[in-house]
Structures are given as C-alpha cells and as structure tokens.
C-alpha cells in the first residue's frame, strides 16, 4: 500500500553535451576576395585553422586552395573514420584531429546503430575533408580574429534525400542511460531533418554549445552559382550489412517479421440495443429476473386458484405436511407456542428435535439449574480463566510497519523485493515537497509557478533544508550525510534550481527564468543546465501540473530528496535517516509552510517514514469516538435489558449493573484474546485495538438481550433455577448455532494472506468464542444474581441497599402485557406480510436487488487508497491528492534478470541486448515494443540498458571510451583526470594519455561480442568509468547498482536490472493493472528466451494481493457460508431449514457487495474480512427466526406470526438496534477507514440483515418454510411462554 505508492522518478543519469559542444566545424577554405570564387572538383573552400574564439573553439581559414594529398599516416587515419574519402583531401592533420575529437562525443550515442553512425559521420567527413569541398561549401562571411581572417558563416549545399535518409536512420535510436532517444541529445529532439540541420547550423554564443559560426543548409543551387549539392548515399537502419536493432529501427526487415504490438481493447462484453449500450451481465440478469418473476407469478396464481377451489378446501395446501418423520400439529384449539416436556432426550416442550439439539437441550437444562444454584462459583472460575489469559498482555506489542501489515510472508513480490535488495540495492528513501499555485477562482485554472519570486523561494527553502541537523545518539545528521550521491560528490536532489547548480548567485548570472525555459528544452545537452551532481535533470521529475512538454505552464514544483536505504530496517543507517526525516517533517510543518503560504501557494510534504508515523498516531485519533460508541451501546443495553420503566420501581427493575457487567465481560473476552496471541508472540495491530472491542460488543449484546428476554418470558410462578433452565433450553441451541457460525466465519478470515487481516480474523474469532463462553457462564451467573437482587428488592447499582416498601406488580405471566414492539410484530407486521400481494412484492423486490447486486459486483474496483487508512487530519491527505494531480511520471520499473550467462558460448547476451546484432525478440526489444502501447503495457519508455552501453563502451568505434595505458591499466577519456587537469581545466591531446589506445580492435572481438575473459576484465572498468563529454557511456552512477559483481568471474551474473518507468498511475486499479501487465510481459519473455526475468517496482509488494483478490474473496465467502451451512445442518438435522438460511445469507452478502459498488467501496483485504464477518453476523438475523418458526404450531402463516411475536422483537431490539446504535457513532470517526469500511459497510449490513431477517425471511418461511417440529400432546404440564416484553 504504502510506499508503493510513491511515484517519484529516479534520475541518476550522465552528463552530456551536444555533438557540436566543441565542434570545431573544421570547414576549410573559401575564397572571399575581390576575385571570383572558384567552385570546382579537387578544390577546397576552407583549408587549415586560422584562429580560435574566446571560448577556445577553432575557426577555419576562409581561403580556397587545391585539395592536398595527405601523408600515409593521415590518410590511414581519415580512412578509419571516413571510408568514403579517398585520394586528396581538404583538411590538415590538425583539422582531422579536431573532427575526430568532436564526433567522438556523438559516437557513443549512435554506435549501437551502425547505419545511423555511418550516415552521421559521412555528413561531417564530407564537410571537413572532401576533396570536392568547394562544390557544396560557400563561405558567406568572414571575421577577423587576431589579425587573421576566419570563417564567419557558410552555406552547405546538400540534398534533401540525404537529410531524410540521415534522419530516418537515427530518429529511433535510443540512449539507454536516459531512457530516451539519442535525438534528444544530438538533435535537441528534432522532429525532421530540417529541424536537425537548424540545430547543427546555429551559431553558438560564447561558452555555449554549438557551432562556432553559422551554417545554413541549402538543398537547391542556382545554375549560375556552380554549386552541386552533396548527394552521398545513405544507409537504411534496416540495411543488411549495417543493420540496427529492432529497438533502434522498428522498420528494419528483420523486425517486420515480428508482430507489431497491439493494444488490447479494454472493457467488458457489451450489447447494443438500439441507442442503448448495456453490459452483457446487466442484460443477462435482467432476462433472468423477468423469467424468474414470470415463473413465480404463474406459480402463485396457479396455487392461489387451486386453493380457492372446492377440492382444495378439504386439503389445505400449507398444512398437514409430513416430512422425514416430522409430524405437523393438527390441533388448532390452543396453538400453544411452547410445550414443556423433559422426558425423552429427543423431545422438548412438545418439540421433536434433532439428535444434536436434543443433547444440547438436555445439557442446557441441567447446566442452567447448576448455574442457578452456584452462580458465584461459575462467575469466579470463568473470570479467573480469562484473567489468566490476560497475563499474556505482558508481551503485548503493536505492529505498525506497513510491509509487515499488508504483505504476506509467502508473497512472490516480497521474495522478489528481497532478492532485489540483497543482490542489487534497496530502493532509495523518498523525502518530497510539493509546492503548487492556487487555482484561479474565476476560471478554475492554476497559474504557472515558474516565476522569479517562486524560484527565489525555492532557494530559501533549500537553504532551510540543508540546515537541518537531526540529533541521533549524540551525533548530528544532515542531508549530505544520508542523501544518495550517484557520482559520490553531490546529493541527487530533484529541483528546478538544479539548473542553477543550487547556487542563488547563478540565478542572475545564468539569465533567471529565461534560463529555466532554455533548460526545459536542452536539459540533456547544455552544460550550463547540468545539475550540481553533474547529471541531466529531466524537468518532468521536478515540475507538475503541465500538459505534454509545456513545462513553462507547470503549476507545481516537485522537490525530491532521494536518501540512501538499507536492507536492515532497524539498523543505525535507517535510524539516522528516520531521525533526519522527523526533523524534516517538523521543518515542513512550521517554517516551510509559513514561507509558502506567505506567497499564496500550497505546500504538501512527505517522508519515507511518514506513513508509519501517522499509523502510530492513528491509535489515539479515534479513542474518543470508540469510547462514545461504548457508552451509547452500554446505555442502550441497560435500557433494553430492564423492564418497562416505571418511576416507582425503576431503581429496582432496571438492569444498569447487569448491562455494565456484560460490557466488562466483552472487554475481558477481547483482552483474553489479545493476551493469548501476545503470549505466543503474535503482534497486535491498531485495527484490532480499535475495532474488535466494538465488534465483539455488537455481537455479544445480541446474546445478552436474547438471554435476558428469554428468562423474562418464563412464568414468574416457577422457581428461578427452573426459569433459568427453561430459558437456556429455549434459546441456548440457537445462540450456540449463531456463535459457532460467527466463530467459523471469523476464522475463515485467517486464511487471507494479508497479515493485518489474517491476524485481525484470528483475534476476532477467539474473542467471539471467549465472549460466547463468558455469556454462557459468567453472564448467566450474573443474570441469576441480578434476578435474586430484584426478588430481594435491592437497588440496582447499589445491591447492598434494600427497599422494603417495594411491591412487585407482576403477579405472573397471565397478567403481564406484551411489549409494544411484540404487539406490533404480532398484530401489524405479521398480518401485513401474510397478504398474498405483499409476499409477491417482497419476493420480487428482494430478488431484483440481489440480481442487480450481482451485476453491480463487476464494477467493484480492487485496491485500498492510502489516504483512507490515515487520519483525516493527517498532512499526508493533501500530499496524496497532489501526487495524483501533479505527477507526470510513473514509479521506476526494473526488469531483473537472474543468472545471465555472458560467455561467448551462450546466447544470453544477444537475447538481452538491443543494439546491432541483437535478437529481434530480445528482452530489451520486447520492452521497447511494450512502450509503444503504454495504455495497456503501462511501460512509459524503453529500458536503460547497462548491457547495451557496456557493449558500446568497449566497441572500437567508441574510441574515446574504453581505453588502456601501455601497461594495460584503465585510461579515462581525455577530458577527465589525469588526462585533463581538473585544476586549470586544460585538456589536450598530449600529456599522460597521449599513448592510450582502445581496449580492443575489431579482430579481438567475436562478432562484436567480448569473450568471457574480456567481459570479466572490462565490466568493472565500465561500472567505475565516469561519464563525460568525451564518453557519455561511462557506467558509474547510472549503473552502479544495476549489476551484481559477486561471483561474476565464473561467467554468470547472478542479478542485473534494466530500468524504465511506469506510466503515471493515478488510481488503485492502475497500480494493480500495471503490475499484472508487467508480470505477464515477463512471463512471456521468460518462456520465450528460457531466461528468468521478473519485474520489480517498489509498490508491487503492497499491490500483489489485489491480483487475486476476487479469487480470495469468493473462496473465503464460499468457505464461510459453507461452514455455516454445515453447522446448521449438523445441529438442526434439517436440510430444508439449512438451505433457507444458506439462501438468505448468500443474498445478504451479495446485496452488501452491491452496496459496496454503489458507495464506491473498493475490494481489499479489509472489505473481504468484513464480507466474511457479514456471514457470521447475518446468521443471527436468520437462525433465531428460523428456529422459532420450526418450533411453532399451526399453518405457516400462523407459525411465522408466532415466531415474529416471540423472536422478532428480540431480533429487532436485541440485534438490529444494538448494532445500529454502535455503528452510527462510527460516522464521526476521524479516520476514513472507519467511516468507509466500518460505518458504511456495517450500517449497510445491519439494515440488510434487518430487512432480510424480518421481512424477506418471514415471507419465504410462510411460503416455503419447513414443517413444524411440534407434536400433538393431549395434556399440558407447564404453562406456555408469552411473547417478549419490550
């Protein structure tokens, strides 16, 4: 959930200049004089170097001369770089050396695509050394430098065909390190060859990259000009001899045989009926409903007509039913609701029971008498056992770490994360600020944040952040101590002020906001736009709220501080980071927030430890709400347990002390459960601490009310122990059935893999079991003591006080009037439900809603919003909203390869890479194809490939990269120490590196691939090589943690990764679908290449559960409902009754899922646990009513009327209202997870349970109910029970 959740781009890339940064435009001679200019073959337009600009860029001489025959050494050098130039040339050795040094910067970008590189080199080779230079070069202006005339501008005549061929061969070439196209660096993102020419020919200002003089590319020449445009043949990127990879050349012939990626059409099955488009599931349930209603109406009319016929009057349809040996009573004279009979095991109160119920009744009868005689013993022993369990609270611990709460131990994603952390490097910690402008009140659009005042505000805030000193164990920790430093020098902070090197003095020196606008377009190529940590900063990682690439319109600044992470989350390194993060959050809440608000901006912020800290704070956020809920339920319990309030006897007949004792028993059951699991080492969670007490109280109150009401229904003329015994016999089996069903339903949740929900289910199941046992023991004993108090005329809450003047007005059950609720149930509710038309309407409405809920279930989205779990006043609420609103880049995505065999005998290298000679269906080519359909693959761009860059780095063509001294040690590029002095910045072709040579010649490599020895030797060189202008392919920083070198000498690299990014993920379903898509992609690639590849992103571990959440939910619900059905079947031995209970339970759960879809409640482990618990809680709405119906006499309408009178009132007041009272209080919770998953879902459950239990179920029983278990007896030994008094 968490962290996954943080979508911040990881920028650890190389510094790079344009090809023309020091391009000396070695363009030779043109004669601009009073004499006529000569344009002919074997004649030069520019020759030799006549000066330098102030920034060191060389300037050619503007004088024409015949082409010159080069020396053998110069000729061989020219042939190695420019094979099309033969014979005489128009360049000196110095000009060629500067040409070679210039193109050296571009070669690493293009060497992976030989056709592009060849075309690119041909352009500059023709321009510099062609013997026919004067035919297509015309010097248009000259400048005087140090008394020498130099070239000031030229016209370069070249055909459009060459330009198009050059651009087409290079436009798709990738630069892996930056996950982008090479054209972004060597052509400023040109969209066609003319834009590329314009970029190349632009004259650069001093100290800025570009040409030292203006070049105008022209394609047409007038007949009088004698100019002939260059028309050198170009190579297609799909050329057989110089072919590029599929990633660099999608139109290559070898790639045309590979099926192009097709974006799968999203959406479910739909049917169009006229202008209405309906989902298939909607149409199917509609048709099914029409069929069912038609059949039901037809069946009802048929039987109603038959019932009214003379023949049917002699044989009533609903009576005289004999089923499986159960005898229906035919006595209508007295219709006794209950008959007392204690003789056989299988008979009770004139009711034929199942074997299990018979033994349970016998047990409860004897047990009830024993408890009534020994209440103190029962109360003391049961309390002592629970208190013993509470001793386990000594080892009580709370788990707040998100990865321990939401990720199962057998999680595949967790195993992959552990592999990634152990073999490569843990994903960095993220500290982030988001500063945004306020939307315009009139238009609703936020203005641009890129202004001078806001930039200066960033400098002030950066100074504050740099000044943070956190105290950890006596030492002070600053950002520079813990931040990530790709090149081992400066922090890789992501902020737009990196374009000013984090130096406020550079703001005016560089040109202020205009400099930012320039860097937004040239961030990857302009040196002055490089960050302080010497790497390009992609503006999409530092800006938010813009469309496309309109960075100047951004409405938010994203400031990110990547901090080093550690595998050991409890080690010193992590604790130092946490200490700094706490200080960072305090600074953001205080000074930074005030600074931002003073500028009329908004600020949101977060640190890596923020979620965990806020979860800890959540433990106290709703303490008052929970307490109020308890007090309200306690007040209601005390009221509903007592008799009808009478002022003269209220202090005697009230049940406040009994209600309080019941609440205490609930708390003891919860503490006993927590104590037991704490003793065996299971950590608790905040949800357990806050929800289970309320949940168990809501469940336990039902049984308390039913028990007390059952005792009160007994004749007062009977001794107390007989009343207690009869009450337990009457309701004990149904309470046992309901409680066992609840325990089983809760226990099913322990199979859910998410630890927080699994532990919750375990704690809840034991708590409900202990609560049931305490109710059957301690609470029954408390009932005995309370009734003794009443009979002794002692005051409630003060039992030592005895009132002698108190007189009991109840003389017996004959004189006790039924309560108002009981009279309503029997005289109004039941008769209305017995009407035929009402039954038809009820069945039709409930079936319609259930079928509609089935269709709605398909609209439930998986996921759990992070902000829902947090308190509503948490500062992270605004942060998560801003992340979704402003972020324009998705989370980093790594494709991890296990056991890469790089030996020359293995094909793994070509199966993974994406440069020339790599397989068309290689891993990196497949990733590149996936990036072409980001809407379904969720892959934003091709992957950065250390393997591609390494192969290019060692390539002989990249002669400025892999070099060695004469002693075979590593020689860095010419612009790095010791080749280039870092103190004075002087770099020359001489010095200590003058004798350095390339690591390999073409003949040293086998088909361009290194041997195992060469690979083993040069890979560490590559990973330690710093990127620079002369060689941008150095792997240090970009790939430092991408390859595991441990044991690689054997020819097997155990772990390596290729980095890219997901598309922006704004919804929970996007996270789930992106994980599913990349896993499917890797599975397909692994099967094809026979190489183990898996995707990894920081959020995968928290979202893996949602891949199979529907399977988990359906399986858990099936097991829970099945378990309840089996318990009912075993106890009642009635398939008929159990089937009806099963039907009602299934409808309640389906309807609850329909409500979830309507309320946009997501499907996650929390909601799955709630659905499973709904099965257990819904049992209470069904079991008691079904049991009362089965033991009543008369026809079905009479039996349901009697059941509603005796048990309906208890179900409404003792089950529905008690839960409703407690649930409503939760709507005031400050934590949204309580409001959504416990208030909304539980309120829906209570209302659905009430409607199904007291409306739908009575109708179903009155029409299809099982036969009565009552048997005809001629004599009555005891008086019947009376309806519940409410």
């Amino acid at each position: 959930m968490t962290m996954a959740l943080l979508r911040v781009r990881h920028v650890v890339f190389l510094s790079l200049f344009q090809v023309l940064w020091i391009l000396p435009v070695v363009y030779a001679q043109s004669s601009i004089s009073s004499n006529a200019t000569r344009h002919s073959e074997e004649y030069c337009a520019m020759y030799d170097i006549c000066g330098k600009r102030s920034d060191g860029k060389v300037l050619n001489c503007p004088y024409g001369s015949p082409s010159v025959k080069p020396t053998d050494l110069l000729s061989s050098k020219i042939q190695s770089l420019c094979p099309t130039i033969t014979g005489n040339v128009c360049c000196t050795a110095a000009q060629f050396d500067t040409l070679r040094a210039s193109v050296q910067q571009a070669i690493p970008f293009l060497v992976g695509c030989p056709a592009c590189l060849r075309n690119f080199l041909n352009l500059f080779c023709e321009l510099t050394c062609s013997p026919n230079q004067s035919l297509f070069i015309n010097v248009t202006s000259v400048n005087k430098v140090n008394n020498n005339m130099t070239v000031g501008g030229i016209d370069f005549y070249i055909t459009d065909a060459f330009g198009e061929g050059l651009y087409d061969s290079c436009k798709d070439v990738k630069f892996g390190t930056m996950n982008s196209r090479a054209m972004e660096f060597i052509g400023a993102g040109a969209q066609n060859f003319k834009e590329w020419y314009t970029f190349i020919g632009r004259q650069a200002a001093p100290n800025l990259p570009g040409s030292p003089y203006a070049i105008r590319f022209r394609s047409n020449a007038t007949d009088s000009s004698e100019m002939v445009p260059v028309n050198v043949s170009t190579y297609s990127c799909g050329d057989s001899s110089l072919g590029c990879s599929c990633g660099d050349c999608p139109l290559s012939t070898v790639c045309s045989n590979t099926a192009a990626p097709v974006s799968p059409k999203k959406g479910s099955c739909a049917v169009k009926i006229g202008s209405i488009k309906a989902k298939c599931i909607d149409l199917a349930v509609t048709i099914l409903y029409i069929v069912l209603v038609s059949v039901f109406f037809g069946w009802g009319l048929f039987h109603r007509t038959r019932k009214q016929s003379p023949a049917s009057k002699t044989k009533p349809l609903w009576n005289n039913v004999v089923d499986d040996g159960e005898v229906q009573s035919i006595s209508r004279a007295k219709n006794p609701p209950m008959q007392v009979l204690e003789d056989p095991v299988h008979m009770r109160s004139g009711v034929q029971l199942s074997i299990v119920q018979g033994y349970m009744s016998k047990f409860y009868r004897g047990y009830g008498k024993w408890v009534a005689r020994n209440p103190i013993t029962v109360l003391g022993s049961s309390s002592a056992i629970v208190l013993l369990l509470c001793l386990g609270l000594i080892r009580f611990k709370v788990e707040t770490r998100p990865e321990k709460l939401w990720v199962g131990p057998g999680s595949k994603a967790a195993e992959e994360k552990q592999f990634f952390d152990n073999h490569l490097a843990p994903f960095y910690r993220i500290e982030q600020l988001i500063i945004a402008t306020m939307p315009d009140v009139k238009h609703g659009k936020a203005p641009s944040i890129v202004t001078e005042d806001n930039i200066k505000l960033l400098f002030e805030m950066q100074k504050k952040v740099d000044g943070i000193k956190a105290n950890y164990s006596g030492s002070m920790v600053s950002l520079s101590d813990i931040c990530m430093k790709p090149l081992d020098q400066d922090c890789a902070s992501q902020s737009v002020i990196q374009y000013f090197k984090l130096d406020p003095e550079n703001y005016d020196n560089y040109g202020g906001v205009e400099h930012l606008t320039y860097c937004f377009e040239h961030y990857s190529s302009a040196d002055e736009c490089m960050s302080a940590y010497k790497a390009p900063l992609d503006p999409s990682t530092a800006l938010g709220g813009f469309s496309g690439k309109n960075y100047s319109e951004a409405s938010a600044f994203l400031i990110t501080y990547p901090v080093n992470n550690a595998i050991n989350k409890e080690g010193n390194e992590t604790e130092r980071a946490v200490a700094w993060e706490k200080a960072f959050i305090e600074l953001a809440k205080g000074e930074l927030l005030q600074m931002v608000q003073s500028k009329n901006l908004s600020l949101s912020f977060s640190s890596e430890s923020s979620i965990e800290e806020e979860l800890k704070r959540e433990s106290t956020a709703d303490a008052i709400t929970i307490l109020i809920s308890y007090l309200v339920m306690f007040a209601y319990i005390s009221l509903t347990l007592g008799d009808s309030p009478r002022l003269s006897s209220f202090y005697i007949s009230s049940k406040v002390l009994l209600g309080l004792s019941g609440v205490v028993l609930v708390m003891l059951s919860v503490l006993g459960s927590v104590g037991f699991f704490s003793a065996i080492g299971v950590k608790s969670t905040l949800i357990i601490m806050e929800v289970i007490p309320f949940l168990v109280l809501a469940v336990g109150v039902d049984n308390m009310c039913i028990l007390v009401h059952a005792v009160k229904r007994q004749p007062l003329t009977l001794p107390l122990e007989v009343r207690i015994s009869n009450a337990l016999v009457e309701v004990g089996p149904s309470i046992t059935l309901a409680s066992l069903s609840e325990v089983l339903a809760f226990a099913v949740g322990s199979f859910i893999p998410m630890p927080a929900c699994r532990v919750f289910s375990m704690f809840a199941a034991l708590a409900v079991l202990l609560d049931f046992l305490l109710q059957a023991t301690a609470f029954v004993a408390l009932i005995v003591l309370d009734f003794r108090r009443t009979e002794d005329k002692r005051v409630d809450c003060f039992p030592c006080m005895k009132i002698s003047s108190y007189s009991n007005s109840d003389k017996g059950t004959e004189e006790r009037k039924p309560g108002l609720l009981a009279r309503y149930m029997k005289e109004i509710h039941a008769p209305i439900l017995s009407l035929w038309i009402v039954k038809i309407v009820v069945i039709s409405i409930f079936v319609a809603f259930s079928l509609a809920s089935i269709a709605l279930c398909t609209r439930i989205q998986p996921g759990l919003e992070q902000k829902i779990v947090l308190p509503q006043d948490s500062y992270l609420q605004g942060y998560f909203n801003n992340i979704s609103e402003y972020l324009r880049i998705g989370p980093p995505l790594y494709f991890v390869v296990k056991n890469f065999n790089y030996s020359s005998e293995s094909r793994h290298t070509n199966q993974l890479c994406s440069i020339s000679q790599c397989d068309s269906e290689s891993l990196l080519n497949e990733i590149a194809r996936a990036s072409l359909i980001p809407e379904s693959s969720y892959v934003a761009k091709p992957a950065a490939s250390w393997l591609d860059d390494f192969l290019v780095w060692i390539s002989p063509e990249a002669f400025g990269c892999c070099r060695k001294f004469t002693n075979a040690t590593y020689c860095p590029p010419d612009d790095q120490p010791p080749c280039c002095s870092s103190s004075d910045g002087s770099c020359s072709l001489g010095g200590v590196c003058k004798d350095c040579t390339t690591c390999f010649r073409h003949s040293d490599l086998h088909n361009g691939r290194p041997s195992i020895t060469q690979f083993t030797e040069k890979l560490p060189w590559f990973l330690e090589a710093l990127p620079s202008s002369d060689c941008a392919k150095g792997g240090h920083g970009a790939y430092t943690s991408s390859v595991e070198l441990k044991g690689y000498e054997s020819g097997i690299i155990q772990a390596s990764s290729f980095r890219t990014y997901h598309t922006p993920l704004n919804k929970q379903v996007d996270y789930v679908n992106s994980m599913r898509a990349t896993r499917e992609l890797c599975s397909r690639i692994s099967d094809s290449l026979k190489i183990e590849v898996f995707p990894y992103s920081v959020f995968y571990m928290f979202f893996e559960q949602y891949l199979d959440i529907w399977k988990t939910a359906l399986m858990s619900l099936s097991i829970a409902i099945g378990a309840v059905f089996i318990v009912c079947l075993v106890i009642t031995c009635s398939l008929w009754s159990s089937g009806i209970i099963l039907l009602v339970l299934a409808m309640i759960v389906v309807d609850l899922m329909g409500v979830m879809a309507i309320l946009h409640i997501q499907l996650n482990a929390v909601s799955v646990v709630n659905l499973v618990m709904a099965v257990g809680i819904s049992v209470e709405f069904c079991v008691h009513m079904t049991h009362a119906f089965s033991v009543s006499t008369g026809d079905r309408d009479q039996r349901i009327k009697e059941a509603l009178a005796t048990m309906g009132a208890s179900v409404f007041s003792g089950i529905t209202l008690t839960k409703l009272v407690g649930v409503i209080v939760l709507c005031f919770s400050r934590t949204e997870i309580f409001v959504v998953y416990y208030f909304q879902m539980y309120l829906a459950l209570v209302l659905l349970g009430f409607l199904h239990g007291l409306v739908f179920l009575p109708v179903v029983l009155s029409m299809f109910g099982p036969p009565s278990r009552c048997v005809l007896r001629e004599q009555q030994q005891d008086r019947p029970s009376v309806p519940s008094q409410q």
Side-chain angles (χ1 to χ4, degrees), residues 332-404:
R332 303 295 180 85
K334 297 181 181 180
N335 269 337
M338 200 76 65
Q339 297 180 357
V340 179
L341 181 64
E342 299 184 39
D343 299 336
V345 173
H346 298 78
M347 302 290 290
R348 177 182 65 79
S349 301
V351 178
Q352 186 177 11
L353 304 174
S354 67
I355 296 177
V356 177
Q357 286 178 311
Y359 280 108
M360 288 175 64
S361 298
K362 182 178 180 181
F363 167 77
Y364 276 120
R365 184 174 300 283
Y367 172 73
K369 292 180 178 179
W370 182 76
V371 173
R373 295 167 186 159
N374 306 280
I376 302 298
T377 302
V378 173
L379 180 61
S381 59
S382 58
S383 300
I385 294 174
V386 176
L387 290 173
L388 184 63
L389 291 176
C390 292
L391 293 177
L393 292 172
I394 298 174
R395 300 185 59 187
F396 175 75
K397 292 182 180 179
V398 178
E399 183 63 81
T400 58
R401 291 176 293 175
E403 65 272 15
K404 296 295 183 181

Side-chain angles (χ1 to χ4, degrees), residues 32 133 549 607 901 941 1035 1253:
I32 298 183
Q133 190 184 68
K549 292 189 176 182
S607 71
N901 185 344
K941 53 182 64 179

Side-chain angles (χ1 to χ4, degrees), residues 711-834:
V711 175
K712 289 166 64 178
R713 281 198 298 268
Q714 304 306 313
L716 294 177
T717 56
L718 295 175
L720 179 59
E721 63 180 58
V722 176
R723 282 182 280 158
I724 296 293
S725 175
N726 287 348
L728 285 177
V729 169
E730 179 183 338
V731 300
S734 61
I735 288 179
T736 303
L737 174 59
S739 298
L740 287 179
S741 300
E742 289 167 351
V743 171
L744 282 175
F746 281 103
V748 167
S750 62
F751 294 100
I752 294 177
M754 181 185 287
C757 296
R758 183 177 67 249
V759 173
F760 175 85
S761 300
M762 292 163 51
F763 278 65
L766 182 57
V768 172
L769 178 61
L770 290 176
D771 185 54
F772 163 69
L773 296 176
L774 285 176
Q775 287 169 352
T777 55
F779 189 71
V780 173
L782 288 170
I783 292 176
V784 173
L785 295 176
D786 188 76
F787 274 78
R788 284 183 182 179
R789 173 194 62 77
T790 304
E791 293 174 357
D792 290 345
K793 304 175 184 178
R794 298 183 183 275
V795 179
D796 191 18
C797 297
F798 302 97
C800 295
M801 296 178 59
K802 186 174 183 180
I803 306 299
S804 57
S805 60
Y806 171 75
S807 60
N808 190 353
S809 60
D810 292 323
K811 302 300 182 182
T813 55
E814 294 87 357
E815 301 177 14
R816 179 180 295 177
K817 294 182 179 180
L820 179 63
L821 187 56
R823 292 201 304 272
Y824 162 78
M825 286 290 176
K826 186 172 184 178
E827 298 172 7
I828 299 177
H829 191 75
I832 291 177
L833 294 182
S834 64

Side-chain angles (χ1 to χ4, degrees), residues 536-608:
L537 175 67
D538 189 335
S540 63
T541 66
L543 295 169
F546 56 88
S547 59
K549 292 189 176 182
N550 299 320
Y551 300 120
S552 297
E553 299 177 359
S555 58
F557 287 140
L558 309 178
I559 303 99
T560 308
Y561 303 101
V563 170
N564 290 322
N565 210 342
I567 298 176
N568 182 10
K569 299 300 181 182
E570 299 178 356
N572 291 338
E573 187 175 350
T574 299
E575 292 180 0
R576 292 172 72 236
V578 171
W580 186 89
E581 288 166 355
K582 291 180 179 179
F584 170 73
I585 294 299
E586 290 302 316
L587 177 69
K589 288 181 177 179
E591 294 184 59
L592 298 186
L593 184 59
Q594 293 177 3
M595 294 169 63
V596 169
Q597 290 178 342
S598 66
K599 301 292 185 180
N600 196 31
L601 302 173
S602 66
L603 174 68
S604 60
F605 46 90
S606 172
S607 71
E608 185 73 16

Side-chain angles (χ1 to χ4, degrees), residues 75 121 173 275 470 492 569 603 631 647 757 859 890 936 979 1012 1041 1045 1124:
S75 178
L121 292 177
V173 176
S275 60
K569 299 300 181 182
L603 174 68
L631 292 176
L647 185 61
C757 296
R859 293 165 171 81
S936 61
C979 305
I1012 186 170
S1041 59
L1045 293 182
V1124 172

Side-chain angles (χ1 to χ4, degrees), residues 44-45 55 108 174 214 229 292 474 483 628 959 1065 1103 1189 1244:
C44 305
D55 57 5
K174 301 187 304 297
L292 290 177
C483 70
I628 293 175
F959 45 78
L1065 309 175
F1103 284 84
F1189 176 82

Side-chain angles (χ1 to χ4, degrees), residues 1072-1131:
V1072 179
N1073 290 340
S1074 65
M1075 182 179 183
R1076 179 181 288 110
T1078 52
R1079 280 196 169 181
E1080 290 175 355
L1081 173 64
C1082 284
S1083 175
R1084 187 174 70 250
I1085 293 174
S1086 296
D1087 293 341
S1088 173
L1089 303 182
K1090 308 303 180 185
I1091 301 175
E1092 188 174 356
V1093 183
F1094 68 84
Y1096 170 73
S1097 192
V1098 67
F1099 69 86
Y1100 281 4
M1101 186 171 63
F1102 302 99
F1103 284 84
E1104 182 184 36
Q1105 57 180 302
Y1106 303 121
L1107 296 178
D1108 299 313
I1109 192 68
W1110 273 107
K1111 179 181 178 181
T1112 301
L1114 295 177
M1115 184 177 297
S1116 300
L1117 289 173
S1118 299
I1119 295 174
I1121 295 176
V1124 172
F1125 175 76
I1126 292 174
V1127 171
C1128 293
L1129 187 61
V1130 169
I1131 293 179

